[in-house]
Amino acid sequence: MSYKVAKIGLVSSHPEVYDPCDDSFVLVDALLADRVNLAQHQPSICIEIGCGSGYVITSLALILGKEVPHPALYIATDINPYAVTVTRETLEAHGCFADVVNTDITNGFEKRLSKSVDVIVVNPPYVPTPEDEVGCKGITSAWAGGENGRTVIDRILPVAEELLSDKGWLYMVTLAANKPVDLCMEMKQKGFTSRIILQRSTDEESLQVIKFWRDLDTQLEANVGENTKLLQFNPFSFWKRGNQSAPTSCKEKFSLYD
């Protein structure tokens, strides 16, 4: 069975918005790889943090499509106002809809959505850069990740912890320089287990998509300091699809915002 994803030819663009590239494609491919679980998950609310061109949130909506009995609510955010416009155009071109919000991460509605989001997808600004580039206006905000590419990632993770429902899943793109093993261990201490579900090497970098979810056993360990060995997925195992070429040319830098 063929599953639809956003068509590159229908993805809108703007000089100040990051076009879909290898990191965008690996995130969508990870969602495709996990599509059976996503369908069984039956998410009610899905959010993309840093939607950029809208390629990922549109693809998620198309992948789920009629797989869920009740249509999910889709929300997309971006700090770049041009990205908000481009994402709306991309969604409309594919016959999809999402509430697209111009905000920093999820500022303004975190409390309203606390513990109610079932799926979060994010391709963060993971490129190591000088700290003064983080949060710049325009397209620079799409890739500038600060020291070790972790500045924005380290802001997103607590937000995800607050937003995710008890059954919520977070899919995040990371780079080797982001120290993904450390990320998994930090989230484990907060009651999450994790798994690298897709890994892909390009000419310039090695990308991983990590899936995080709440785990009752790890939450118990974090809260009461139990030393019992946990029976859970190895956070550092992964299902590897192998190297694949991107269907379109990429910009020199990689980005947060899709």
Side-chain angles (χ1 to χ4, degrees):
M1 182 175 180
S2 175
Y3 284 81
K4 288 184 178 180
V5 297
K7 296 181 179 179
I8 295 300
L10 295 179
V11 174
S12 188
S13 63
H14 185 281
E16 290 298 325
V17 176
Y18 183 71
D19 289 330
C21 196
D22 285 338
D23 45 1
S24 313
F25 304 136
V26 74
L27 179 52
V28 169
D29 284 350
L31 297 174
L32 281 170
D34 211 30
R35 63 183 180 271
V36 173
N37 291 325
L38 278 167
Q40 294 174 347
H41 195 52
Q42 298 186 10
S44 297
I45 301 177
C46 303
I47 293 181
E48 180 180 12
I49 297 173
C51 53
S53 68
Y55 174 76
V56 174
I57 191 67
T58 301
S59 294
L60 177 60
L62 291 171
I63 290 168
L64 286 174
K66 298 179 180 180
E67 296 289 329
V68 292
H70 304 289
L73 169 64
Y74 296 95
I75 302 171
T77 73
D78 205 297
I79 196 172
N80 182 350
Y82 298 112
V84 170
T85 299
V86 168
T87 291
R88 287 173 177 157
E89 293 171 350
T90 297
L91 286 159
E92 183 178 357
H94 289 83
C96 298
F97 176 80
D99 288 310
V100 189
V101 184
N102 180 203
T103 189
D104 182 15
I105 305 182
T106 56
N107 285 353
F109 54 88
E110 289 173 18
K111 291 184 178 179
R112 281 184 289 168
L113 293 179
S114 177
K115 303 296 187 293
S116 63
V117 179
D118 297 321
V119 174
I120 298 175
V121 292
V122 56
N123 179 15
Y126 56 70
V127 177
T129 64
E131 287 293 333
D132 58 7
E133 292 186 15
V134 176
C136 288
K137 292 183 178 180
I139 197 169
T140 303
S141 64
W143 62 68
E147 185 178 358
N148 297 323
R150 287 281 299 269
T151 299
V152 180
I153 289 175
D154 288 343
R155 291 182 57 219
I156 290 173
L157 291 177
V159 172
E161 181 185 6
E162 174 63 28
L163 292 178
L164 286 174
S165 66
D166 287 342
K167 70 171 190 175
W169 296 345
L170 165 65
Y171 296 86
M172 175 177 283
V173 179
T174 64
L175 183 69
N178 305 147
K179 301 181 179 179
V181 171
D182 290 350
L183 284 174
C184 291
M185 295 305 297
E186 290 169 17
M187 290 298 283
K188 179 181 178 182
Q189 293 176 359
K190 296 180 179 181
F192 287 80
T193 191
S194 54
R195 187 182 181 195
I196 297 175
I197 61 171
L198 188 59
Q199 178 166 294
R200 181 173 300 159
S201 296
T202 70
D203 291 339
E204 298 184 24
E205 58 191 359
S206 178
L207 300 168
Q208 303 90 29
V209 177
I210 306 176
K211 178 181 178 181
F212 297 95
W213 66 96
R214 297 185 190 277
D215 183 85
L216 183 60
D217 290 335
T218 56
Q219 285 181 332
L220 185 61
E221 181 187 60
N223 291 335
V224 302
E226 288 186 351
N227 295 318
T228 304
K229 184 177 180 180
L230 300 176
L231 299 176
Q232 59 182 38
F233 286 114
N234 183 338
F236 315 119
S237 64
F238 61 87
W239 176 69
K240 188 172 182 179
R241 290 273 301 273
N243 299 342
Q244 299 179 20
S245 57
T248 188
S249 60
C250 300
K251 296 183 179 178
E252 291 182 356
K253 292 197 175 183
F254 296 90
S255 102
L256 162 140
Y257 296 106
D258 210 347

